[in-house]
Amino acid sequence: MNIKDIKSFFPVLNQEVNGHPLVYLDSAATSQKPIQVLEALKNYYELDNSNVHRGVHTLGNRATDSYEGAREKVRKFINASSTEEVIFTRGTTTALNTVASGYGRQTIQAGDEIVITYMEHHSNIIPWQQLAKEKDATLKYIDLEADGTISIEKVRETITPKTKIVAMGMASNVMGTINPIKETAKIAHENGAIMVVDAAQGAPHLKIDVQDLDCDFLAFSGHKMCAPTGIGVLYGKKALLENMEPIEFGGEMIDFVGTHESTWKELPWKFEGGTPIIAGAIGLGAAIDFLTEIGLENIEAHEHKLVAYAMDEMEKIDGLTIFGPRDPMKRCGLVTFNLNDVHPHDLATVLDMNGIAVRAGHHCAQPLMKWLQVSATARASFYMYNDEADIDRLVAGLRAAKEYFNDVF
């Protein structure tokens, strides 16, 4: 499938914004949705709309088959050993909070250590901050190298026998840095800790094998990988999930309810209280089919080429600073940058006037902004539907913005 074929599956890209053809460079915030996913949602609501698991009628059975079929697709996508290890959530944030509350509160004691990094998204910082405060534990950060990467030496220095949880993003949503998850998990296990992976920026771009990584928990969101908003996944090793208490209670997750005592369903349903995110899961399943057809290895290779091209072209602009590793093989498909003294929000506004959508701000990563010694940055993030022509438009837009602000100031 070539890039023109891929673009044709995304109807939202075929429009003008502010009088210019749209160039969408904000996929790290949310990806666009292909017609295959939109059709799956349409078919569910038009033909199969029903609640799952409890009904015996035809629509209920078809909806249940599609919902649980999506779980099997997720299992294969991340190579989990069983669908019992695949929990549907509202997204990465909910999944990480489930681990912090369901596992962390049962496990962490005063004086224990929780280890994270300075490049984490707030969703992989705040739950651990709150857990550390509640349990009088110590929250430690793995320091970064000058280029925004993580060295195994720093990992070994930070993780100790007191460490009980290590939480790390698979890839940075700011610098694109691809982190050494497998090696870090090994060190965590050697010290008696578990490994929690925030794969929100990894799952859309990198092939994931949870058994090879040997991570204990892994979380990701559907909306960054061509699926609808409001659906995500928590993977957990079966033994850990079985020993965890659910954090939401109500319908669907119960086995027996008495007047004073209740028991829970078996995995994975004990963590899916209430009416499930049925359409979202079906949409996620369709997105996984789409990504699998294209091939994660092809997406990754395409993005490495785009990043290399983008950085080469952007570095020709005087006064533009790029953050993160220079080697495109060490980062996923995004480039974060600042231009002279132009505020990123102003820069993003001028680019939008030219039909170019980028993200500006602290990207829910304020500790990393402090480490980078900036208050905010601009970010262009790529996906399978972007090409060199999109980057040429970005570079031309940046040059035009530079001239505009030079004239203004």
Side-chain angles (χ1 to χ4, degrees):
M1 217 183 285
N2 62 42
I3 190 68
K4 289 184 179 178
D5 292 335
I6 292 173
K7 277 196 170 187
S8 69
F9 293 128
F10 294 85
V12 71
L13 299 177
N14 186 29
Q15 64 173 298
E16 289 193 350
V17 172
N18 295 320
H20 300 273
L22 171 65
V23 173
Y24 185 76
L25 301 176
D26 196 20
S27 294
T30 195
S31 69
Q32 297 302 338
K33 320 306 176 194
I35 54 177
Q36 291 88 335
V37 171
L38 301 178
E39 285 295 324
L41 295 172
K42 181 173 179 285
N43 288 341
Y44 166 70
Y45 281 121
E46 286 189 350
L47 302 175
D48 299 336
N49 184 39
S50 177
N51 216 323
V52 296
H53 298 145
R54 291 169 290 191
V56 295
H57 53 74
T58 298
L59 267 62
N61 289 333
R62 291 204 304 241
T64 299
D65 288 345
S66 295
Y67 179 74
E68 294 300 335
R71 197 188 307 274
E72 170 60 16
K73 291 177 183 179
V74 173
R75 185 203 67 76
K76 289 181 180 178
F77 186 71
I78 62 174
N79 194 32
S81 62
S82 167
T83 53
E84 294 175 298
E85 298 180 324
V86 176
I87 314 297
F88 286 128
T89 71
R90 289 187 292 112
T92 307
T93 299
T94 301
L96 292 171
N97 275 274
T98 298
V99 178
S101 297
Y103 177 85
R105 283 179 176 164
Q106 293 177 211
T107 306
I108 296 297
Q109 305 293 327
D112 288 344
E113 296 174 351
I114 303 168
V115 171
I116 60 176
T117 82
Y118 285 107
M119 70 173 76
E120 301 309 314
H121 188 280
H122 293 166
S123 295
N124 203 29
I125 296 176
I126 300 170
W128 311 118
Q129 283 181 346
Q130 297 304 306
L131 179 62
K133 288 178 181 179
E134 179 183 334
K135 295 294 186 177
D136 196 23
T138 300
L139 184 63
K140 296 171 66 177
Y141 287 79
I142 301 171
D143 204 359
L144 310 181
E145 300 302 305
D147 65 349
T149 58
I150 290 176
S151 71
I152 294 301
E153 291 73 23
K154 291 281 177 62
V155 172
R156 290 192 184 279
E157 289 172 8
T158 310
I159 297 173
T160 76
K162 290 185 177 181
T163 305
K164 295 297 181 288
I165 296 173
V166 180
M168 181 183 289
M170 181 168 281
S172 168
N173 73 312
V174 175
M175 300 181 296
T177 311
I178 299 172
N179 289 324
I181 298 298
K182 183 175 180 177
E183 297 87 344
T184 302
K186 185 174 184 294
I187 295 168
H189 293 152
E190 288 171 352
N191 285 273
I194 66 155
M195 182 74 193
V196 182
V197 180
D198 173 358
Q201 296 295 336
H205 313 283
L206 307 170
K207 193 169 182 62
I208 293 175
D209 183 335
V210 292
Q211 295 188 67
D212 180 61
L213 293 174
D214 197 23
C215 56
D216 299 284
F217 295 99
L218 181 137
F220 61 92
S221 296
H223 73 95
K224 296 181 190 293
M225 50 184 286
C226 298
T229 55
I231 183 69
V233 170
L234 170 63
Y235 158 81
K237 289 181 177 176
K238 183 178 178 181
L240 296 175
L241 291 172
E242 285 181 330
N243 289 325
M244 283 170 53
E245 286 296 309
I247 63 171
E248 287 189 325
F249 305 93
E252 284 285 334
M253 53 78 64
I254 53 89
D255 177 33
F256 171 79
V257 176
T259 53
H260 296 288
E261 295 290 338
S262 299
T263 58
W264 319 134
K265 274 186 181 176
E266 66 274 17
L267 293 174
W269 303 291
K270 80 170 185 178
F271 291 103
E272 294 179 5
T275 296
I277 311 158
I278 304 167
I282 292 170
L284 176 58
I288 287 174
D289 288 342
F290 181 73
L291 296 177
T292 301
E293 181 180 355
I294 294 171
L296 267 295
E297 64 283 354
N298 295 325
I299 294 172
E300 182 180 1
H302 177 66
E303 290 180 359
H304 285 320
K305 286 176 59 179
L306 288 182
V307 168
Y309 182 73
M311 290 197 294
D312 285 344
E313 295 301 308
M314 293 168 71
E315 285 177 339
K316 297 174 184 177
I317 301 174
D318 290 337
L320 188 140
T321 301
I322 294 175
F323 302 98
R326 183 61 185 82
D327 183 352
M329 300 304 292
K330 293 183 178 180
R331 59 196 300 161
C332 62
L334 62 86
V335 179
T336 299
F337 57 93
N338 276 343
L339 180 61
N340 286 335
D341 297 323
V342 180
H343 193 282
H345 287 136
D346 296 331
L347 181 58
T349 299
V350 172
L351 289 173
D352 182 61
M353 291 167 58
N354 290 278
I356 304 162
V358 301
R359 180 72 37 170
H362 55 63
H363 313 292
C364 295
Q366 287 177 300
L368 181 57
M369 294 295 109
K370 183 178 180 181
W371 186 87
L372 292 171
Q373 298 182 336
V374 296
S375 60
T377 65
R379 181 186 71 194
S381 52
F382 319 123
Y383 208 13
M384 68 189 86
Y385 39 68
N386 294 118
D387 56 18
E388 286 84 354
D390 293 334
I391 293 168
D392 292 340
R393 285 275 308 279
L394 170 65
V395 172
L398 289 170
R399 292 188 183 279
K402 182 180 178 182
E403 292 181 10
Y404 171 80
F405 286 108
N406 284 341
D407 291 341
V408 169
F409 299 110

